[in-house]
């Protein structure tokens, strides 16, 4: 099919709820993508963090191929071998909890909301406090929980029981807690909100507050999870354990998967009839997640994040030295960003023209989050293109 035919089908038949780049991709391998005209791109924002171990990782492709020929789906009123194995692995890799499987980050957060409400029921509590500039998904409840009015306005009235306070501001949070608060949800590093890293002191205080007031601490690790920050989960870097953690994106290596991990005593509140997902935790989904874990462990990818994260950060800091309009280089591991003084989406366009894919959020923050399999050669190539694009932006 020709490019114009693809675009025409979208124009005519696909709901236009996305801002489009105009690119049509047909193939991916590792950190690279190829468009329909054969042009090669270096992808430093792979699938908005979904293709976190690179496009078409051979382990994931192999597991999907094999499982798809044996058993693709089995309803959740039966058992299959892979869901329990994956839950065991996630539990062992994190804090020993139990896992509910679904298909996306928003659904993982929905599960967390429902579990927090089940927990609060005994004391008449249901409120969840989130952070301003957070992002938790596009379902109605997760939009209500996302602390950004621009996502909420057109959909009012929103479900009750959600409020948000400034990120990294303990006093505001402590003031907002009341006798209806059942949970507090935080991204340890805000992704869509602009790569804002939580302070360790702040998280320690939040943890103590949750313990004192019997409030559930929920970490949304949909974007920070699965190696992105240099540990399997970002909470392990801060050494502050949540009661509930939500996962998606890299977890499935490109296959749509979401998961909620909860402390076993709390997870026990979800009894038959309280929550379900028809597709959640299918054999195919679980095999791809297990393949992602195997790739991270056998490929020593967490060490790679540490080494390549430091390498990339250093290079970005040298760009900051060169260009006065760069205010800050921020983030951790391979979840990095450049903040510019003014609107900079044209840098993304210029990078794209030159064959590098990155992202711009909140109009002046360039998100750079390569696959955690990346290497020095790819980083050098990306930084060269970024440098050229920043140079043009500075001149304009
Ligand atoms: C931190 C965080 N939570 C939740 C979501 C929603 O995930 P999904 O789009 O898979 O529903 C996202 C998506 O970007 C996210 O970054």
């Amino acid at each position: 099919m020709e490019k114009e035919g693809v675009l025409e089908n979208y124009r005519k038949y696909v709901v236009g709820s996305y801002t489009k780049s105009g690119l049509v991709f047909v193939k991916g391998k590792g950190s690279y993508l190829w468009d329909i005209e054969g042009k090669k791109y270096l992808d430093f924002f792979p699938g908005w963090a979904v293709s976190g171990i690179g496009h078409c990782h051979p382990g994931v492709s192999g597991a999907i191929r094999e499982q798809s020929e044996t058993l693709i789906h089995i309803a959740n009123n039966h058992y299959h071998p892979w869901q329990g194995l994956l839950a065991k692995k996630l539990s062992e890799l994190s804090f020993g909890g139990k896992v509910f499987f679904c298909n996306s980050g928003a659904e993982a957060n929905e599960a967390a909301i429902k579990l927090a409400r089940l927990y609060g029921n005994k004391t008449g509590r249901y409120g969840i406090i989130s952070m301003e500039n957070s992002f938790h998904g596009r379902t109605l409840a997760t939009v209500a929980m996302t602390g950004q009015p621009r996502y909420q306005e057109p959909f009012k009235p929103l479900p009750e029981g959600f409020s948000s306070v400034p990120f990294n501001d303990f006093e505001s949070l402590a003031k907002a807690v009341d006798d209806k608060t059942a949970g507090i949800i935080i991204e340890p590093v805000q992704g869509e909100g602009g790569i804002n890293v939580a302070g360790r002191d702040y998280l320690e205080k939040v943890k103590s507050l949750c313990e004192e007031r019997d409030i559930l601490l929920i970490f949304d690790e949909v974007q920070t999870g699965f190696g992105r920050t240099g540990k399997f989960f970002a909470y392990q870097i801060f050494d502050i354990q949540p009661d509930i953690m939500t996962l998606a994106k890299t977890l499935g290596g490109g296959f749509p998967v979401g998961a909620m991990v909860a402390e076993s005593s709390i997870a026990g509140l979800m009894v038959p009839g309280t929550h379900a997902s028809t597709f959640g935790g299918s054999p195919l989904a679980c095999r791809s997640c297990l393949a992602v874990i195997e790739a991270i462990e056998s490929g020593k990818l967490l060490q790679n994040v540490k080494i390549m994260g430091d390498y990339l950060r250093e290079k970005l800091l040298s760009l900051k030295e060169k260009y006065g309009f760069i205010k800050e280089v921020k983030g951790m591991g391979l979840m990095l960003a450049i903040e510019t003084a003014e609107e900079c989406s044209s840098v993304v366009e210029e990078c794209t023209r030159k064959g590098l894919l990155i992202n711009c959020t909140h109009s002046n923050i360039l998100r750079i989050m390569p696959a955690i399999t990346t290497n020095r050669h790819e980083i050098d190539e990306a930084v060269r293109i970024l440098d050229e694009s920043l140079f043009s932006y500075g001149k304009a």
Side-chain angles (χ1 to χ4, degrees), residues 247-284:
L247 302 170
K249 294 204 187 263
T250 297
L251 169 63
F255 197 89
V257 188
M260 175 194 67
V261 185
E263 274 277 356
S264 296
S265 57
I266 303 162
L269 293 166
M270 275 195 169
V271 294
T274 48
H275 200 40
S277 164
T278 299
F279 290 115
S282 73
L284 199 54

Short mmCIF file of all heavy atoms in Angstrom, two decimals, residues 247-284:
data_model
loop_
_atom_site.label_atom_id
_atom_site.label_comp_id
_atom_site.label_asym_id
_atom_site.label_seq_id
_atom_site.Cartn_x
_atom_site.Cartn_y
_atom_site.Cartn_z
N LEU A 247 1.67 -0.96 36.70
CA LEU A 247 2.64 -1.17 35.63
C LEU A 247 1.93 -1.31 34.28
O LEU A 247 0.78 -1.74 34.24
CB LEU A 247 3.42 -2.47 35.87
CG LEU A 247 4.19 -2.60 37.17
CD1 LEU A 247 4.68 -4.04 37.34
CD2 LEU A 247 5.36 -1.64 37.21
N ALA A 248 2.62 -0.99 33.22
CA ALA A 248 2.14 -1.24 31.85
C ALA A 248 3.34 -0.97 30.92
O ALA A 248 4.47 -1.33 31.27
CB ALA A 248 0.94 -0.38 31.49
N LYS A 249 3.10 -0.33 29.80
CA LYS A 249 4.15 0.05 28.84
C LYS A 249 5.21 -1.04 28.63
O LYS A 249 4.89 -2.08 28.07
CB LYS A 249 4.77 1.37 29.29
CG LYS A 249 3.74 2.52 29.19
CD LYS A 249 4.37 3.86 29.05
CE LYS A 249 3.38 4.99 29.13
NZ LYS A 249 2.92 5.49 27.86
N THR A 250 6.46 -0.84 29.12
CA THR A 250 7.54 -1.79 28.80
C THR A 250 7.25 -3.21 29.27
O THR A 250 7.78 -4.18 28.71
CB THR A 250 8.86 -1.28 29.42
OG1 THR A 250 9.20 -0.04 28.81
CG2 THR A 250 10.02 -2.25 29.20
N LEU A 251 6.40 -3.34 30.28
CA LEU A 251 6.07 -4.66 30.85
C LEU A 251 5.79 -5.71 29.77
O LEU A 251 6.23 -6.85 29.87
CB LEU A 251 4.86 -4.49 31.78
CG LEU A 251 4.15 -5.74 32.30
CD1 LEU A 251 5.07 -6.59 33.16
CD2 LEU A 251 2.92 -5.34 33.12
N GLY A 252 5.06 -5.34 28.73
CA GLY A 252 4.69 -6.32 27.70
C GLY A 252 5.59 -6.29 26.48
O GLY A 252 5.36 -7.04 25.53
N GLY A 253 6.58 -5.41 26.46
CA GLY A 253 7.51 -5.35 25.33
C GLY A 253 6.84 -5.01 24.01
O GLY A 253 7.33 -5.35 22.93
N GLY A 254 5.69 -4.34 24.07
CA GLY A 254 4.95 -3.98 22.85
C GLY A 254 3.58 -4.64 22.84
O GLY A 254 2.66 -4.18 22.18
N PHE A 255 3.46 -5.73 23.58
CA PHE A 255 2.14 -6.39 23.69
C PHE A 255 1.35 -5.64 24.77
O PHE A 255 1.90 -5.30 25.81
CB PHE A 255 2.34 -7.86 24.09
CG PHE A 255 1.11 -8.69 23.84
CD1 PHE A 255 0.92 -9.31 22.63
CD2 PHE A 255 0.12 -8.79 24.81
CE1 PHE A 255 -0.23 -10.04 22.39
CE2 PHE A 255 -1.02 -9.52 24.58
CZ PHE A 255 -1.21 -10.15 23.36
N PRO A 256 0.05 -5.36 24.54
CA PRO A 256 -0.70 -4.57 25.52
C PRO A 256 -0.96 -5.33 26.82
O PRO A 256 -1.71 -6.30 26.84
CB PRO A 256 -2.01 -4.25 24.81
CG PRO A 256 -2.11 -5.20 23.68
CD PRO A 256 -0.73 -5.67 23.33
N VAL A 257 -0.31 -4.86 27.86
CA VAL A 257 -0.45 -5.49 29.18
C VAL A 257 -0.43 -4.41 30.25
O VAL A 257 0.33 -3.44 30.16
CB VAL A 257 0.74 -6.44 29.50
CG1 VAL A 257 0.46 -7.22 30.78
CG2 VAL A 257 1.00 -7.40 28.36
N GLY A 258 -1.24 -4.58 31.28
CA GLY A 258 -1.16 -3.74 32.46
C GLY A 258 -1.19 -4.64 33.68
O GLY A 258 -1.68 -5.78 33.60
N ALA A 259 -0.67 -4.16 34.79
CA ALA A 259 -0.69 -4.97 36.01
C ALA A 259 -0.74 -4.06 37.22
O ALA A 259 -0.18 -2.98 37.22
CB ALA A 259 0.56 -5.86 36.06
N MET A 260 -1.45 -4.54 38.24
CA MET A 260 -1.43 -3.87 39.52
C MET A 260 -0.84 -4.86 40.52
O MET A 260 -1.33 -5.98 40.66
CB MET A 260 -2.85 -3.49 39.97
CG MET A 260 -2.85 -2.89 41.36
SD MET A 260 -4.50 -2.80 42.10
CE MET A 260 -4.92 -4.52 42.31
N VAL A 261 0.23 -4.42 41.20
CA VAL A 261 0.83 -5.26 42.24
C VAL A 261 0.43 -4.64 43.57
O VAL A 261 0.58 -3.43 43.78
CB VAL A 261 2.38 -5.25 42.12
CG1 VAL A 261 2.99 -6.22 43.12
CG2 VAL A 261 2.82 -5.57 40.70
N ALA A 262 -0.11 -5.46 44.49
CA ALA A 262 -0.55 -4.93 45.77
C ALA A 262 -0.05 -5.82 46.90
O ALA A 262 0.06 -7.05 46.73
CB ALA A 262 -2.07 -4.84 45.81
N GLU A 263 0.27 -5.20 48.02
CA GLU A 263 0.62 -5.93 49.24
C GLU A 263 -0.41 -7.06 49.43
O GLU A 263 -1.62 -6.80 49.29
CB GLU A 263 0.51 -4.99 50.44
CG GLU A 263 1.74 -4.18 50.71
CD GLU A 263 2.74 -4.98 51.54
OE1 GLU A 263 2.41 -6.12 51.94
OE2 GLU A 263 3.84 -4.47 51.75
N SER A 264 0.04 -8.24 49.80
CA SER A 264 -0.87 -9.40 49.84
C SER A 264 -2.10 -9.17 50.72
O SER A 264 -3.22 -9.54 50.34
CB SER A 264 -0.13 -10.63 50.32
OG SER A 264 0.86 -10.94 49.38
N SER A 265 -1.93 -8.54 51.89
CA SER A 265 -3.07 -8.37 52.80
C SER A 265 -4.13 -7.47 52.17
O SER A 265 -5.33 -7.68 52.32
CB SER A 265 -2.60 -7.77 54.12
OG SER A 265 -1.94 -6.55 53.86
N ILE A 266 -3.67 -6.46 51.42
CA ILE A 266 -4.61 -5.53 50.77
C ILE A 266 -5.23 -6.20 49.55
O ILE A 266 -6.44 -6.11 49.32
CB ILE A 266 -3.88 -4.24 50.36
CG1 ILE A 266 -3.21 -3.60 51.59
CG2 ILE A 266 -4.81 -3.26 49.69
CD1 ILE A 266 -2.14 -2.61 51.26
N ALA A 267 -4.39 -6.91 48.78
CA ALA A 267 -4.87 -7.58 47.57
C ALA A 267 -6.02 -8.53 47.88
O ALA A 267 -6.92 -8.74 47.06
CB ALA A 267 -3.72 -8.35 46.91
N GLY A 268 -6.00 -9.08 49.09
CA GLY A 268 -7.04 -10.04 49.51
C GLY A 268 -8.43 -9.44 49.53
O GLY A 268 -9.43 -10.17 49.57
N LEU A 269 -8.52 -8.11 49.48
CA LEU A 269 -9.84 -7.46 49.46
C LEU A 269 -10.55 -7.65 48.12
O LEU A 269 -11.76 -7.49 48.01
CB LEU A 269 -9.71 -5.96 49.75
CG LEU A 269 -9.24 -5.61 51.17
CD1 LEU A 269 -8.81 -4.16 51.25
CD2 LEU A 269 -10.35 -5.90 52.17
N MET A 270 -9.76 -7.96 47.08
CA MET A 270 -10.37 -8.21 45.77
C MET A 270 -10.80 -9.67 45.70
O MET A 270 -10.00 -10.54 45.36
CB MET A 270 -9.41 -7.86 44.64
CG MET A 270 -9.46 -6.40 44.28
SD MET A 270 -8.69 -6.04 42.72
CE MET A 270 -9.25 -4.35 42.49
N VAL A 271 -12.03 -9.91 46.05
CA VAL A 271 -12.56 -11.28 46.05
C VAL A 271 -13.39 -11.46 44.77
O VAL A 271 -13.69 -10.48 44.08
CB VAL A 271 -13.42 -11.52 47.32
CG1 VAL A 271 -12.55 -11.47 48.57
CG2 VAL A 271 -14.56 -10.51 47.41
N PRO A 272 -13.78 -12.69 44.44
CA PRO A 272 -14.56 -12.89 43.21
C PRO A 272 -15.76 -11.94 43.13
O PRO A 272 -16.49 -11.76 44.09
CB PRO A 272 -15.00 -14.35 43.31
CG PRO A 272 -13.89 -15.01 44.08
CD PRO A 272 -13.46 -13.97 45.09
N GLY A 273 -15.88 -11.30 41.97
CA GLY A 273 -17.00 -10.39 41.75
C GLY A 273 -16.62 -8.93 41.90
O GLY A 273 -17.36 -8.04 41.46
N THR A 274 -15.46 -8.63 42.50
CA THR A 274 -15.10 -7.22 42.72
C THR A 274 -14.42 -6.59 41.51
O THR A 274 -14.56 -5.39 41.28
CB THR A 274 -14.16 -7.07 43.93
OG1 THR A 274 -13.10 -8.02 43.82
CG2 THR A 274 -14.89 -7.25 45.25
N HIS A 275 -13.66 -7.37 40.75
CA HIS A 275 -12.97 -6.79 39.60
C HIS A 275 -12.63 -7.88 38.59
O HIS A 275 -12.46 -9.04 38.98
CB HIS A 275 -11.71 -6.06 40.07
CG HIS A 275 -11.21 -5.06 39.06
ND1 HIS A 275 -12.05 -4.25 38.34
CD2 HIS A 275 -9.94 -4.74 38.66
CE1 HIS A 275 -11.33 -3.48 37.54
NE2 HIS A 275 -10.06 -3.75 37.71
N ALA A 276 -12.51 -7.50 37.32
CA ALA A 276 -12.22 -8.49 36.28
C ALA A 276 -11.74 -7.80 35.02
O ALA A 276 -11.93 -6.60 34.85
CB ALA A 276 -13.49 -9.29 35.96
N SER A 277 -11.10 -8.57 34.16
CA SER A 277 -10.71 -8.09 32.83
C SER A 277 -10.72 -9.31 31.91
O SER A 277 -9.96 -10.26 32.14
CB SER A 277 -9.31 -7.47 32.89
OG SER A 277 -8.79 -7.35 31.60
N THR A 278 -11.55 -9.27 30.89
CA THR A 278 -11.68 -10.44 30.01
C THR A 278 -10.34 -10.86 29.41
O THR A 278 -9.98 -12.02 29.40
CB THR A 278 -12.69 -10.15 28.88
OG1 THR A 278 -13.95 -9.88 29.48
CG2 THR A 278 -12.83 -11.33 27.93
N PHE A 279 -9.60 -9.86 28.91
CA PHE A 279 -8.34 -10.19 28.24
C PHE A 279 -7.15 -10.29 29.21
O PHE A 279 -6.10 -10.78 28.84
CB PHE A 279 -7.99 -9.11 27.21
CG PHE A 279 -8.90 -9.11 26.00
CD1 PHE A 279 -9.72 -8.04 25.74
CD2 PHE A 279 -8.89 -10.18 25.13
CE1 PHE A 279 -10.54 -8.01 24.62
CE2 PHE A 279 -9.71 -10.18 24.00
CZ PHE A 279 -10.54 -9.09 23.75
N GLY A 280 -7.34 -9.76 30.43
CA GLY A 280 -6.19 -9.59 31.34
C GLY A 280 -5.44 -10.89 31.62
O GLY A 280 -6.03 -11.90 31.99
N GLY A 281 -4.12 -10.83 31.49
CA GLY A 281 -3.27 -11.96 31.86
C GLY A 281 -3.42 -13.18 30.99
O GLY A 281 -3.29 -14.33 31.46
N SER A 282 -3.66 -12.99 29.70
CA SER A 282 -3.80 -14.13 28.78
C SER A 282 -2.44 -14.84 28.61
O SER A 282 -1.39 -14.25 28.90
CB SER A 282 -4.28 -13.66 27.41
OG SER A 282 -3.22 -13.00 26.75
N PRO A 283 -2.46 -16.09 28.15
CA PRO A 283 -1.19 -16.79 27.92
C PRO A 283 -0.24 -15.98 27.03
O PRO A 283 0.95 -15.86 27.32
CB PRO A 283 -1.61 -18.09 27.23
CG PRO A 283 -3.01 -18.32 27.70
CD PRO A 283 -3.62 -16.96 27.87
N LEU A 284 -0.79 -15.39 25.97
CA LEU A 284 0.05 -14.63 25.03
C LEU A 284 0.67 -13.42 25.73
O LEU A 284 1.88 -13.16 25.60
CB LEU A 284 -0.81 -14.20 23.85
CG LEU A 284 -0.10 -13.81 22.56
CD1 LEU A 284 0.85 -14.90 22.10
CD2 LEU A 284 -1.13 -13.52 21.46
#
